[in-house]
Amino acid sequence: LFSSTLALSQRLGPEERKHISYIDNSLKTANDLLRDLNEVALIESGNIQLNIENVLLDEILSSLYQEFNPLAKSANIDFHYQRSNLTIATDAKLLRRILQNLLSNAFRYASPGKVLLGCRRKGNQVAIQVIDNGPGIPLDKQQSVFEQFTQLEANTSVGTKGLGLGLNIAQSLS
């Protein structure tokens, strides 16, 4: 908060603002790492309490679309989501976190490109999918990308470089 407030100060020149931006970025990365490590610790300790309730899937999908759409525009990503009228029994907060991690990963590797968020009904179940036209994951890396602190070369023009925990967290929460 203090560095963000300082960045808004009219007394700073361009060079100082640039350094404050670097500090803000470093603080965000450190905060993201601490949040993700805390989440990994919760998952591994089995201390995550599920709150299963009936949720209109479109509420989650549309809020994710609204969250990621500004980033999509700035990163030259053609981002769409498919509306759904399905109601599912889930923990909405955890499902949202899983999809945030998958979308962040798709955006990191698909820029510039296309990302689609949607679902397909499969009998009494639904498959929620994040589809992108990025380079894909080589067959020999498809298991290792889910390990902690593992990541492939990313297009860092989309936000910051990842920490290598998002897919591990998404898999563990799933």
Side-chain angles (χ1 to χ4, degrees):
L1 287 173
F2 293 124
S3 64
S4 296
T5 302
L6 184 59
L8 297 174
S9 172
Q10 300 299 321
R11 298 180 192 171
L12 297 177
E15 190 67 21
E16 289 89 2
R17 287 178 198 258
K18 183 170 83 173
H19 290 295
I20 295 294
S21 170
Y22 294 151
I23 292 169
D24 270 345
N25 193 29
S26 295
L27 289 171
K28 181 190 178 313
T29 300
N31 186 54
D32 289 348
L33 178 60
L34 289 172
R35 186 195 71 231
D36 288 350
L37 288 174
N38 182 53
E39 196 159 10
V40 167
L42 283 171
I43 292 167
E44 289 179 353
S45 70
N47 287 329
I48 292 183
Q49 299 296 318
L50 294 177
N51 181 24
I52 305 295
E53 57 188 351
N54 289 330
V55 177
L56 183 60
L57 185 55
D58 198 63
E59 289 178 7
I60 297 172
L61 299 181
S62 66
S63 73
L64 287 166
Y65 178 77
Q66 291 171 6
E67 176 184 342
F68 280 85
N69 198 41
L71 177 59
K73 290 179 181 178
S74 67
N76 196 25
I77 293 176
D78 185 18
F79 179 45
H80 295 278
Y81 91 99
Q82 182 63 45
R83 296 188 65 89
S84 172
N85 62 358
L86 295 175
T87 299
I88 61 173
T90 188
D91 183 311
K93 182 179 175 185
L94 293 180
L95 177 58
R96 190 173 202 296
R97 180 73 168 122
I98 292 166
L99 293 172
Q100 282 175 320
N101 285 335
L102 295 175
L103 283 167
S104 293
N105 198 65
F107 273 49
R108 187 170 292 116
Y109 289 92
S111 178
K114 297 178 181 182
V115 175
L116 174 65
L117 172 63
C119 63
R120 295 173 197 245
R121 178 177 269 176
K122 293 185 174 189
N124 290 336
Q125 297 183 344
V126 61
I128 304 170
Q129 300 174 320
V130 175
I131 301 170
D132 67 72
N133 68 342
I137 302 170
L139 191 57
D140 64 332
K141 304 266 192 244
Q142 289 183 4
Q143 293 302 315
S144 66
V145 294
F146 290 96
E147 295 172 10
Q148 293 177 2
F149 302 108
T150 301
Q151 54 190 334
L152 303 176
E153 276 301 309
N155 177 355
T156 54
S157 67
V158 179
T160 58
K161 185 170 169 52
L163 301 170
L165 290 171
L167 291 179
N168 177 262
I169 290 170
Q171 181 184 47
S172 297
L173 289 175
S174 296

